Amino acid sequence: MLHTINKSPFSADSFDTCLKFAQEGDPILLIEDGVYAAQCSSKVSGQLAQHSATNDFYALSSDLKARGISVLCDQVKVIDYAGFVELAEKHQVNSWL
Amino acid sequence: MLHTINKSPFSADSFDTCLKFAQEGDPILLIEDGVYAAQCSSKVSGQLAQHSATNDFYALSSDLKARGISVLCDQVKVIDYAGFVELAEKHQVNSWL
Amino acid sequence: MKFAILLKEGPYNHEAADTAYHFAKAVMEKGHTLTSVFLYNDGVINVTKLMDPPQDDRHIANRWSELGAKGVRILSCIAASKRRGIEDSLLTDHSEITGLGELTDIAIDVDRLVTFGA
Amino acid sequence: MKFAILLKEGPYNHEAADTAYHFAKAVMEKGHTLTSVFLYNDGVINVTKLMDPPQDDRHIANRWSELGAKGVRILSCIAASKRRGIEDSLLTDHSEITGLGELTDIAIDVDRLVTFGA
Amino acid sequence: MDDNVKKMMHIVRTAPHGTIYTYEGLEMVLIMAAYDQEISMAFIGDGIFSLKKDQDTTELQIKGFMKTLGVLEDYDVEDIYVDRQSLEDRGLKVEDLFIPVQVLEADAIGKLMAVQDVLIHH
Amino acid sequence: MDDNVKKMMHIVRTAPHGTIYTYEGLEMVLIMAAYDQEISMAFIGDGIFSLKKDQDTTELQIKGFMKTLGVLEDYDVEDIYVDRQSLEDRGLKVEDLFIPVQVLEADAIGKLMAVQDVLIHH
């Protein structure tokens, strides 16, 4: 199952909640304000690093650029909308609004 | 200054943020989903109790009833819209959306 | 005292429009003047006369219209309205489209500008 | 594969309408079928033809209309539309108002129903 | 599995009344329940507040949804899951809820999510 | 104090682009700045992300607001405060921001709030 998170991990509970319910091996895609979780050296980067042992993290390129986020956590792969569709081909989608 | 908080303390940062910026003596009014902070025995009730030493807390009656919240923290005074207006007469209003 | 309201969310989707209305009524019942309700962001959707909620629910556009009839100016920001497809032809009675300069005049004029939103 | 989109927020106020559109285009570019975009909650505001954003910004209603012209059904939930003042006379080209039964049929029919919202 | 029967889970994550998501979410669930699909609901985070007993929106003058919650069972929506930790964090017990539910750990709900064909958050 | 001059603080608390609040908030600030009032801005919580350098919305195809941020000074909006803790929590430094700001502790910003005539959150 592909999980998408679209809210900032600093002001909403989507990031925490999604990580609680996602199963091992599920890919997690950060979109919209959710991409702030991909930036390194913040107070949530430890949490992301820890979960990267069991889940692959992705972030949407156009959302990163729009927000000027260039220094990412190592564990995050940057993809475009074509990559988003490819993940959605392989997995059902669970959008954590 | 009267501070209003209209979001659940469990899923948004308005409650925490407002408490950080409110000055001693400022009244704090919980409205809409903000009234969930008034319910006793939750994981945020300690925080409210602690701040009640320096700030008066109020919660809007119609919002409490709509949500079935009847067991409140001792420190919270229940008021109606007339009470809201009275607080706004005495203080400028800072709505922490 | 002179009050005004800034409402930043649309009807039904958020409670802000309800809270703003109940607060407005209480302000007037206390004998204060409510000069205006300024609609910004999705708040502009509050004044479409095409709104048609279920019979057993409140009609939010009619509430603003009712306050407008009592002399409260119900003002919808033009830039925000255009983005969301609100124009003069859609406006409920006693509401009008205006600019942010008007909001500034209101902010200067009143004793309390109270914001409701999400 | 067959895809459909459920869009739960209005235009401009939230990025959801943008994300949904870019995803829709990428789905079609990959050679998949996008059967429909179903608008719910404030999402119904996406299809008003009165939308008139600044010239140098994207025109979100036109985007849906453009997808509609390519055969994607652009569907606005009737109950949600009525609450927010969206009716047939306002609809942009290639969009229609329908019921939640239609969304259920879509959910049964497609391989992926992907939600965008706030 | 019958090709025409899909597993659809509705996930309620928002508190009631502050936003319309729970209300319009329940409208969606009732319609979908009329089709012969496997419908379930999960209440997570602030969503559990939507199940609280004694909600009375009369004074607030907005249409509530307690009646809708009450008829879910008649529509055969009987698989209703609640996240245990969400209850505990919010100081609620299962007795505080208006309808019968199954209280599960997050991991158990996550495993149920994993087998769904459609998931919609409200 | 001149009766006709009011202190108005605009408080930006939302991240950019995910919602329109910062964008439409800046539109409001520019208009208000044309009147002779004491306008200030405070960036708190996710609001500080709105000040991040190098935001490029071209690929996202939405209108950005970097130009608007750039002209605030020309409109005499020069009292721009940023909450220190919000920066630190988000792993940002003042050098990461697009315009000059004053970084203050929450309590200092709170004291500035206390003397305002009008406060608007975006």
Side-chain angles (χ1 to χ4, degrees):
Chain A
M1 174 153 297
L2 169 66
H3 302 268
T4 69
I5 301 173
N6 75 337
K7 294 217 188 61
S8 162
F10 304 101
S11 58
D13 65 351
S14 310
F15 181 75
D16 286 345
T17 309
C18 172
L19 295 185
K20 262 177 62 183
F21 289 83
Q23 304 288 294
E24 275 192 27
D26 285 353
I28 296 172
L29 170 61
L30 308 171
I31 65 171
E32 301 175 1
D33 287 344
V35 298
Y36 286 113
Q39 186 198 280
C40 78
S41 317
S42 82
K43 71 171 177 183
V44 305
S45 16
Q47 214 180 335
L48 187 144
Q50 192 190 318
H51 276 84
S52 68
T54 49
N55 298 87
D56 287 335
F57 283 87
Y58 301 87
L60 208 47
S61 162
S62 51
D63 280 320
L64 290 167
K65 287 180 191 161
R67 290 163 181 80
I69 306 174
S70 48
V71 191
L72 301 183
C73 299
D74 293 340
Q75 299 87 356
V76 178
K77 296 180 194 69
V78 177
I79 61 173
D80 59 9
Y81 275 96
F84 185 175
V85 175
E86 284 159 24
L87 285 170
E89 288 166 5
K90 290 185 204 121
H91 307 271
Q92 282 295 353
V93 184
N94 193 355
S95 308
W96 292 82
L97 302 183
Chain B
M1 174 154 296
L2 169 66
H3 302 268
T4 68
I5 301 173
N6 76 336
K7 295 218 188 57
S8 162
F10 304 101
S11 59
D13 65 353
S14 311
F15 181 74
D16 286 345
T17 309
C18 172
L19 295 186
K20 261 178 62 184
F21 289 84
Q23 304 288 296
E24 276 192 26
D26 285 353
I28 297 172
L29 170 61
L30 308 170
I31 64 171
E32 301 176 1
D33 287 344
V35 298
Y36 285 113
Q39 187 197 279
C40 79
S41 316
S42 81
K43 71 171 176 183
V44 304
S45 14
Q47 215 179 334
L48 188 145
Q50 192 191 317
H51 277 83
S52 66
T54 49
N55 299 88
D56 287 336
F57 283 87
Y58 300 86
L60 207 48
S61 161
S62 51
D63 281 319
L64 290 167
K65 285 180 192 162
R67 289 161 181 82
I69 306 174
S70 48
V71 190
L72 301 185
C73 300
D74 292 340
Q75 300 86 356
V76 177
K77 297 180 194 67
V78 178
I79 61 173
D80 59 11
Y81 275 96
F84 185 173
V85 174
E86 284 159 24
L87 285 170
E89 288 166 6
K90 289 185 207 123
H91 307 271
Q92 283 296 354
V93 185
N94 193 356
S95 308
W96 292 82
L97 302 183
Chain C
M1 280 177 105
K2 268 202 251 185
F3 281 78
I5 286 173
L6 171 62
L7 173 54
K8 286 164 55 72
E9 291 294 335
Y12 304 104
N13 215 87
H14 293 86
E15 196 187 334
D18 296 280
T19 311
Y21 172 74
H22 292 303
F23 183 77
K25 294 240 297 182
V27 162
M28 295 165 80
E29 279 161 18
K30 284 265 177 196
H32 297 298
T33 303
L34 178 67
T35 69
S36 33
V37 176
F38 192 92
L39 308 171
Y40 201 53
N41 304 132
D42 270 358
V44 301
I45 300 159
N46 275 281
V47 284
T48 168
K49 67 180 174 199
L50 299 181
M51 194 183 289
D52 183 20
Q55 295 279 336
D56 54 352
D57 204 355
R58 78 278 192 209
H59 192 302
I60 293 181
N62 287 355
R63 286 176 167 181
W64 300 123
S65 197
E66 166 213 311
L67 288 188
K70 290 183 181 158
V72 181
R73 296 184 70 198
I74 310 294
L75 304 168
S76 185
C77 168
I78 184 159
S81 294
K82 289 179 89 164
R83 277 193 191 96
R84 294 156 180 94
I86 299 296
E87 57 163 49
D88 283 328
S89 68
L90 289 188
L91 292 185
T92 189
D93 288 348
H94 308 291
S95 60
E96 51 187 305
I97 291 179
T98 183
L100 286 164
E102 192 85 53
L103 175 64
T104 316
D105 288 331
I106 291 166
I108 294 170
D109 176 54
V110 298
D111 301 300
R112 297 288 183 272
L113 176 64
V114 184
T115 308
F116 297 94
Chain D
M1 282 178 104
K2 268 202 251 185
F3 281 77
I5 285 173
L6 172 62
L7 173 54
K8 286 165 54 75
E9 290 295 335
Y12 305 104
N13 215 87
H14 294 85
E15 195 187 336
D18 296 280
T19 312
Y21 172 74
H22 293 302
F23 183 77
K25 293 241 298 183
V27 162
M28 295 166 81
E29 279 161 18
K30 285 265 178 195
H32 297 298
T33 304
L34 178 68
T35 69
S36 32
V37 175
F38 192 93
L39 307 172
Y40 201 53
N41 304 131
D42 270 357
V44 301
I45 300 159
N46 276 281
V47 285
T48 168
K49 67 179 175 198
L50 300 181
M51 192 182 292
D52 183 19
Q55 294 280 338
D56 54 351
D57 204 355
R58 77 277 192 210
H59 192 302
I60 294 181
N62 287 356
R63 286 175 166 181
W64 300 123
S65 198
E66 165 213 314
L67 288 188
K70 291 182 180 158
V72 181
R73 296 184 70 198
I74 311 294
L75 305 168
S76 185
C77 169
I78 184 159
S81 295
K82 290 179 89 163
R83 276 193 191 97
R84 293 155 181 95
I86 300 295
E87 58 163 49
D88 282 329
S89 68
L90 289 188
L91 292 186
T92 189
D93 286 349
H94 308 290
S95 61
E96 51 187 305
I97 291 179
T98 182
L100 285 163
E102 193 84 51
L103 175 64
T104 317
D105 287 332
I106 291 166
I108 294 170
D109 176 53
V110 298
D111 301 300
R112 297 286 183 274
L113 176 63
V114 184
T115 308
F116 296 93
Chain E
M1 190 183 89
D2 182 337
D3 266 2
N4 293 318
V5 175
K6 287 203 166 181
K7 290 178 191 292
M8 305 189 185
M9 181 182 274
H10 292 267
I11 302 162
V12 178
R13 289 200 8 260
T14 51
H17 315 311
T19 55
I20 204 170
Y21 303 115
T22 302
Y23 182 100
E24 288 192 329
L26 284 166
E27 287 193 341
M28 187 187 284
V29 170
L30 280 200
I31 299 290
M32 290 198 168
Y35 291 65
D36 290 322
Q37 305 296 313
E38 279 187 43
I39 306 282
S40 62
M41 296 187 77
F43 290 80
I44 291 174
D46 281 348
I48 65 153
F49 286 134
S50 293
L51 294 172
K52 177 84 180 58
K53 267 183 193 162
D54 302 324
Q55 296 177 50
D56 179 359
T57 54
T58 318
E59 196 174 307
L60 197 54
Q61 294 172 41
I62 74 175
K63 202 176 155 185
F65 53 73
M66 298 305 272
K67 273 188 197 156
T68 313
L69 281 180
V71 300
L72 283 174
E73 202 175 352
D74 304 331
Y75 282 72
D76 293 325
V77 180
E78 289 169 331
D79 293 327
I80 299 181
Y81 312 110
V82 165
D83 174 48
R84 190 195 56 75
Q85 184 71 49
S86 300
L87 275 180
E88 190 181 307
D89 287 346
R90 288 162 184 76
L92 292 186
K93 299 197 178 63
V94 70
E95 303 82 56
D96 296 315
L97 307 183
F98 184 62
I99 54 171
V101 300
Q102 287 177 254
V103 178
L104 297 176
E105 295 296 326
D107 186 60
I109 295 178
K111 285 191 169 57
L112 291 167
M113 288 177 174
V115 299
Q116 301 298 315
D117 298 301
V118 175
L119 299 110
I120 299 177
H121 288 244
H122 298 284
Chain F
M1 190 184 90
D2 181 340
D3 265 3
N4 292 319
V5 174
K6 288 204 167 181
K7 291 178 189 291
M8 305 191 186
M9 182 182 273
H10 292 268
I11 302 162
V12 178
R13 288 199 11 258
T14 50
H17 315 311
T19 54
I20 203 170
Y21 303 115
T22 302
Y23 182 100
E24 288 192 329
L26 285 167
E27 288 193 340
M28 187 187 285
V29 170
L30 280 200
I31 299 290
M32 290 197 170
Y35 290 65
D36 290 322
Q37 306 296 313
E38 279 187 44
I39 305 283
S40 62
M41 297 188 75
F43 291 80
I44 291 176
D46 282 348
I48 65 153
F49 286 135
S50 293
L51 295 173
K52 177 86 181 58
K53 267 183 192 163
D54 302 325
Q55 297 179 49
D56 179 359
T57 55
T58 318
E59 196 174 306
L60 197 55
Q61 294 173 41
I62 75 175
K63 201 177 157 184
F65 52 73
M66 296 306 269
K67 273 185 198 157
T68 312
L69 282 181
V71 301
L72 283 175
E73 204 176 348
D74 304 331
Y75 282 73
D76 293 324
V77 180
E78 289 170 330
D79 294 326
I80 300 181
Y81 311 110
V82 165
D83 174 49
R84 190 194 56 76
Q85 184 71 50
S86 300
L87 275 179
E88 188 180 310
D89 288 347
R90 288 162 183 78
L92 292 187
K93 299 196 178 64
V94 70
E95 302 84 58
D96 295 316
L97 307 183
F98 184 61
I99 53 171
V101 300
Q102 287 178 252
V103 178
L104 298 176
E105 296 296 326
D107 186 59
I109 296 178
K111 285 191 167 58
L112 290 167
M113 288 177 173
V115 298
Q116 301 298 315
D117 298 300
V118 175
L119 299 110
I120 300 177
H121 288 244
H122 299 283

